[in-house]
Amino acid sequence: MSPSSTPSRRKGTRALLAAGAVAAGTVLLAACGEGSSTDGAAAQGKEPQPALHSHIHGLGIDPADGRLYVASHEGIYTADGKGSPQLVGESRDDFMGFTVTGAKTFLASGHPAPGRDQPDNHGLIKSTDGGKSWKTASLKGEADFHSLDHAKGTTYGYDSTGGLLRVSKDGTTWQDRARLQALDFAVNPADPNQLVATTADGVARSTDGGVTFAPGQGQGQGMEFLSWAAPGSLFGIDFTGALSISSDGGTTWKKTATVPGGQPQAMTAVDEQHVLAATQDGVYESRDAGQTFTKRLSVASGDHH
């Protein structure tokens, strides 16, 4: 998702287009150059931190402290003071759509962990303590938002249960907008009437708040994730990890780089220069609009989920 003045709009993974468009890689999150926190804790006789063995659905940066948050199939993770993976709170739920809307304030969707006596779909859930605890905001048991964005006080969600874009001013009551088959969408942070969405034919555009979308015209075809960081900085990443930027709202695109590490799993742009992407072997960060990337967190193969 695209951040505007709030610094992160996390993108979840989607599997609504062609089969194989999103490959659910499994990962073990660890800091660059750091060993397993589980092994280290065991050697010291401490309770081990739970490792993250699952697909990454979203990324976000908390404006309160610049901390990176990773939304996954088995909970929300961050890095501790030493850069080791740390589960946030106690939830091991499957977090799908994920976005940071303010200091320590997150919105998400997803599914309960196995064994929990809960409806299959969380609807919209909200945390105001940096992901430590979550409360239902609306649509519990009804909606499964695979992508969320927030701009100008309005929340936008792509509900995968019916391929439906939904919009809410208060996170409680919702308006139904267009139906479309999309992997992701993003909202112009300066003009919430302008949206873009990934489709099989390219990046589709809306100028009426998502009520209708003009069909994609091939430009941006193959895009998997979108993040609208600033009015003139719409980022897109395709299935191969190629990162592109559009200065005209998705009409034309210019490739800037290929993110290392294989197939992308999530992306967010914090501003017009700061971009993060999760791929099969790590979370990579760019501070120069995607010209160069460095690895912020390492990812190693784990058990399949």
Side-chain angles (χ1 to χ4, degrees), residues 164-184:
L164 177 66
L165 182 71
R166 310 179 81 166
V167 178
S168 177
K169 291 287 188 181
D170 57 9
T172 302
T173 58
W174 294 82
Q175 295 180 358
D176 293 347
R177 302 287 171 89
R179 291 188 184 274
L180 72 165
Q181 292 298 303
L183 291 174
D184 198 11

Side-chain angles (χ1 to χ4, degrees), residues 14-22 183 200 239:
R14 304 49 159 177
L16 296 178
L17 296 184
V22 180
L183 291 174
F239 303 119

Side-chain angles (χ1 to χ4, degrees), residues 33-287:
E34 295 287 340
S36 167
S37 61
T38 300
D39 294 341
Q44 299 176 29
K46 298 179 181 179
E47 182 179 351
Q49 280 290 332
L52 192 158
H53 290 274
S54 65
H55 192 78
I56 294 174
H57 294 311
L59 302 171
I61 298 292
D62 190 337
D65 54 13
R67 185 180 294 274
L68 170 66
Y69 287 85
V70 177
S72 82
H73 185 69
E74 293 182 327
I76 302 290
Y77 278 76
T78 188
D80 64 15
K82 296 181 179 180
S84 298
Q86 184 176 50
L87 182 69
V88 178
E90 298 180 355
S91 175
R92 302 302 294 265
D93 289 356
D94 180 7
F95 286 85
M96 296 295 296
F98 177 75
T99 184
V100 176
T101 63
K104 299 190 181 302
T105 304
F106 309 161
L107 296 176
S109 190
H111 315 283
R116 291 191 62 194
D117 186 18
Q118 296 284 338
D120 288 341
N121 297 322
H122 277 324
L124 184 72
I125 55 177
K126 183 176 182 178
S127 174
T128 57
D129 58 6
K132 294 178 182 177
S133 63
W134 295 84
K135 293 183 179 180
T136 298
S138 57
L139 300 177
K140 184 174 183 177
E142 299 178 33
D144 177 18
F145 292 116
H146 277 203
S147 184
L148 289 165
D149 204 352
H150 188 82
K152 297 285 188 179
T154 300
T155 299
Y156 301 76
Y158 182 73
D159 184 358
S160 68
T161 62
L164 177 66
L165 182 71
R166 310 179 81 166
V167 178
S168 177
K169 291 287 188 181
D170 57 9
T172 302
T173 58
W174 294 82
Q175 295 180 358
D176 293 347
R177 302 287 171 89
R179 291 188 184 274
L180 72 165
Q181 292 298 303
L183 291 174
D184 198 11
F185 77 96
V187 183
N188 185 337
D191 182 0
N193 284 321
Q194 295 185 18
L195 288 80
V196 290
T198 59
T199 73
D201 297 321
V203 175
R205 305 169 71 201
S206 173
T207 58
D208 55 13
V211 176
T212 61
F213 281 84
Q217 299 298 319
Q219 275 283 342
Q221 189 169 5
M223 290 294 181
E224 186 170 7
F225 302 108
L226 300 168
S227 191
W228 212 328
S233 299
L234 170 62
F235 290 90
I237 190 168
D238 70 14
F239 303 119
T240 69
L243 182 77
S244 299
I245 187 170
S246 174
S247 60
D248 55 13
T251 301
T252 60
W253 295 85
K254 179 181 179 181
K255 181 180 175 180
T256 60
T258 296
V259 182
Q263 188 171 7
Q265 297 184 352
M267 179 185 70
T268 190
V270 180
D271 55 37
E272 61 270 17
Q273 296 292 321
H274 190 184
V275 185
L276 297 108
T279 61
Q280 289 174 309
D281 77 346
V283 177
Y284 291 86
E285 181 177 52
S286 174
R287 296 277 185 170

